[in-house]
Amino acid sequence: MNLFELSTRKEYNTACKNAAENPEIFWDDIASHYHWQKKGFKTLDWDFKEPKINWFQGGKLNITENCLDRHLKINGETIALIWEPNNPEESEIRMTYNELHIAVCKFSNVLKSQGINKGDRVAIYMPMIPELTVGVLACARIGAIHSVVFAGFSSQALAERINDSTCCAVLTSDGMYRGSKNLAVKTTVDEALTSCPSIKTVVVVKRDNSDIQMMANRDIWYHEAELNVSDYCPAEPMDSEDMLFILYTSGSTGKPKGIVHTCGGYMVYVGYSFKNVFQYRKGDIYWCTADVGWITGHSYIIYGPLLNCATTLIFEGIPTWPNAGRFWEICDKYSVNQFYTAPTAIRSLMALGNKWVESASLKTLKVIGSVGEPINKEAWDWYEKLVGRSNCPIVDTWWQTETGGIMISGLGDINEQRATFAGLPLPGIHPVILDVNGIEISDDGIEGHLCIKFPWPSMLRTIYGDNQRCKHVYFSNYDGYYFTGDGAKREDGMFRIVGRVDDVLNVSGHRFGTAEIENAINSSTLVTESAVVGYPHPVKGQGIYAFISLETGNHSEKDVNISVISAVVESIGHIAKPDIIQIAQGLPKTRSGKIMRRILRKIAEGNTEDMGDTSTLLDPSVIDSLIQGKK
Ligand code: WT7
């Protein structure tokens, strides 16, 4: 039985059974579907205490040989990548596997010509253009560690990420298009680099022909550099456990965490999960609407599809420009078979009326996916009926930056589907729900903390430069378990994810730590102190509610709002702007000075009937004044 390609419930059951009984034999078999320069000698070596996780130790590979070279002989003329520009009037780009291979080799040689070597960290700050994918793969080809930073982050946020992993180069573009906007990109990089001494090279791709500054001895144009290099570059042999990339994500403290993924295990799991979750079959056109700046883009725009010789569509624009029918037009234009998006996009399009989706054909769709946050029943039903035409399974895929690949999800229509449930774990994945005492909950319907009790190949290996923090955040809440930070419950073995149980917000599928936003707000000179909580938001899932107390002095509410918002935009970016700012006379603190967030959450939610135990508050009267001041 070929357990790499699961097509029936029976095969899924067999895969689960085999993986549970003998994980090493199971994953060895899955790994054998890839090209290894040298096979590993030890499949798994692990200890969640340290943590130390090694998969396929001793193996040698290069993920780009698996994404590109091994397809060329038979499928060189298959379309690897379709790029749909922001402006529908501009022509699309299609690249075959042969062409993508050449493009990646050239980009690799440009990086090498700049003295970039195996193990060096390279930041990538680029819009959704083909060169973003090419640049990512070029790093992987020469063994440089890519650190993609979403191009919506501010210069300060970019600088913080560059410095944390001492990157030696940045790959970027002159400018970018996003809906009706034309935004500067290189200028943001220039600002960041005033505080990044480790950067020696900036490679600039031309996108919008905007007038930018090029710094001598640091900045080079990609279109000039590529003329001087060969179109073949050998793939660097990598150990299975060599780093492939770093991707920063937010935690409950202020500083973003550089999540580390390594070459062998990430490749094995991401290729496997892509094939089965989306039931991808040869010739299908697959489209994931995420940005490559997030893990979804890494795993399921670039690596997962290319590992399977798929055709992956990359869209530069946004769902609502030039109109709210753009997604559906693109599905029809390219006869998309698998479509993967986020609940926030579904809800925002739902709110703009059905006519846009109703006028599309969408007849080629086979599987539609959801990712990033819990999907509510209304959005699920709309997605299923209006987009899937009651004819496509929804795969609600639960996973995280840290898990590298999809952990819990339907596999096409192989398993039973239940609205708002992510469903069953993939083969080899062992999620459990723990109660406050760390005891596994076996009863249905009881909420607890979602943990995973056995390693899987694409799990994070560490936090860059801080294994102690990795241990503390993920492996010390419950001994012997990986702690996800999510709450969940189960019904008939199927998982329903309820949302974060830590101080992490999920705003339109983007992750922010409350402390991270508070630090940003506190950098406003008008603010003494702030507390940020989430509240239910009809489109974004969660909105950002900021309570702030001010320095003395008279300031209009408008001035305060401007100052707070610009502080957040400067230190993080537009994506983290508070939705609601409430000026508070005081924050609810305990006698020991700790802010009681529970109370602020209730006020932000407008749920103030029962405040629970407030006896430890220093000044209980602040509650009433906060309720009165609610926005
Ligand atoms: C957090 C991870 C990797 C996906 C993109 C976000 C939430 C993710 C689901 C889902 C309910 C989900 C969780 C998780 N989440 N997918 N299908 N249902 N919640 O990656 O930025 O690392 O965020 O997103 O809370 O912990 P991320």
Side-chain angles (χ1 to χ4, degrees), residues 295-296 371-374 396-397 399-401 486 500 506 511:
I295 190 70
T296 310
V371 62
E373 41 170 331
D396 176 11
T397 63
W399 57 299
Q400 311 177 294
T401 305
D486 279 320
R500 302 288 308 193
N506 189 327
R511 224 167 120 171

Side-chain angles (χ1 to χ4, degrees), residues 34 63 66-67 70-71 267 270-271 302-309:
Y34 296 86
I63 195 168
N66 283 275
C67 287
R70 73 171 166 148
H71 305 317
M267 170 179 81
V270 162
I302 300 182
Y303 289 116
L306 297 179
L307 285 166
N308 285 284
C309 197

Side-chain angles (χ1 to χ4, degrees), residues 529 587-596 614-619:
E529 200 178 21
L587 297 171
K589 289 196 184 159
T590 60
R591 284 188 205 99
S592 57
K594 229 181 136 220
I595 295 175
M596 274 175 111
T614 55
S615 61
T616 57
L617 278 183
L618 186 63
D619 173 11

Side-chain angles (χ1 to χ4, degrees), residues 208-480:
D208 70 345
N209 277 310
S210 52
D211 192 18
I212 57 161
Q213 301 283 322
M214 295 291 280
M215 191 195 269
N217 300 321
R218 190 195 69 182
D219 302 354
I220 60 166
W221 281 108
Y222 183 71
H223 65 272
E224 289 172 3
E226 75 164 338
L227 299 176
N228 305 322
V229 297
S230 135
D231 61 9
Y232 181 70
C233 173
E236 186 70 34
M238 303 296 284
D239 284 336
S240 284
E241 286 299 341
D242 280 341
M243 278 186 210
L244 174 62
F245 66 85
I246 304 167
L247 184 58
Y248 286 86
T249 190
S250 298
S252 34
T253 63
K255 195 172 166 310
K257 303 176 281 196
I259 303 300
V260 170
H261 285 288
T262 57
C263 295
Y266 177 81
M267 170 179 81
V268 168
Y269 191 78
V270 162
Y272 179 67
S273 52
F274 172 79
K275 168 136 221 129
N276 292 303
V277 168
F278 297 101
Q279 290 291 296
Y280 186 89
R281 297 296 179 261
K282 197 170 162 33
D284 286 347
I285 311 289
Y286 163 87
W287 180 21
C288 166
T289 69
D291 193 288
V292 168
W294 312 112
I295 190 70
T296 310
H298 283 59
S299 301
Y300 299 111
I301 293 179
I302 300 182
Y303 289 116
L306 297 179
L307 285 166
N308 285 284
C309 197
T311 301
T312 181
L313 198 155
I314 299 180
F315 175 42
E316 185 186 27
I318 58 170
T320 49
W321 192 83
N323 60 53
R326 189 72 194 276
F327 271 6
W328 323 125
E329 264 165 36
I330 297 174
C331 285
D332 283 352
K333 177 172 175 189
Y334 298 104
S335 304
V336 168
N337 303 110
Q338 289 91 3
F339 176 73
Y340 189 27
T341 197
T344 185
I346 298 168
R347 288 190 299 261
S348 72
L349 293 174
M350 234 168 104
L352 296 170
N354 293 350
K355 69 168 186 182
W356 300 106
V357 58
E358 278 168 354
S359 58
S361 150
L362 302 183
K363 66 171 192 292
T364 51
L365 288 179
K366 296 197 283 194
V367 175
I368 54 178
S370 172
V371 62
E373 41 170 331
I375 178 168
N376 49 312
K377 181 76 167 62
E378 296 70 32
W380 178 290
D381 290 344
W382 189 88
Y383 198 33
E384 182 174 47
K385 285 201 185 67
L386 281 105
V387 179
R389 307 284 159 95
S390 306
N391 206 9
C392 299
I394 295 182
V395 289
D396 176 11
T397 63
W398 175 84
W399 57 299
Q400 311 177 294
T401 305
E402 294 87 341
T403 68
I406 296 168
M407 299 280 99
I408 304 178
S409 168
L411 308 177
D413 60 4
I414 288 181
N415 291 331
E416 185 201 334
Q417 171 173 316
R418 192 170 298 180
T420 76
F421 278 72
L424 300 175
L426 267 70
I429 307 302
H430 301 283
V432 293
I433 299 175
L434 301 186
D435 70 13
V436 282
N437 301 315
I439 310 291
E440 291 183 21
I441 299 175
S442 51
D443 291 345
D444 273 10
I446 313 282
E447 246 175 77
H449 288 181
L450 182 64
C451 292
I452 305 180
K453 70 169 170 188
F454 194 79
W456 63 98
S458 66
M459 71 186 296
L460 84 164
R461 298 301 193 261
T462 189
I463 291 176
Y464 191 82
D466 200 347
N467 203 47
Q468 268 312 307
R469 187 172 177 202
C470 180
K471 176 186 172 128
H472 174 73
V473 177
Y474 303 107
F475 298 97
S476 62
N477 294 53
Y478 299 106
D479 250 5

Side-chain angles (χ1 to χ4, degrees), residues 517-538:
I517 304 176
E518 287 160 6
N519 290 346
I521 293 176
N522 297 348
S523 72
S524 153
T525 50
L526 306 184
V527 174
T528 349
E529 200 178 21
S530 63
V532 164
V533 295
Y535 70 98
H537 186 287

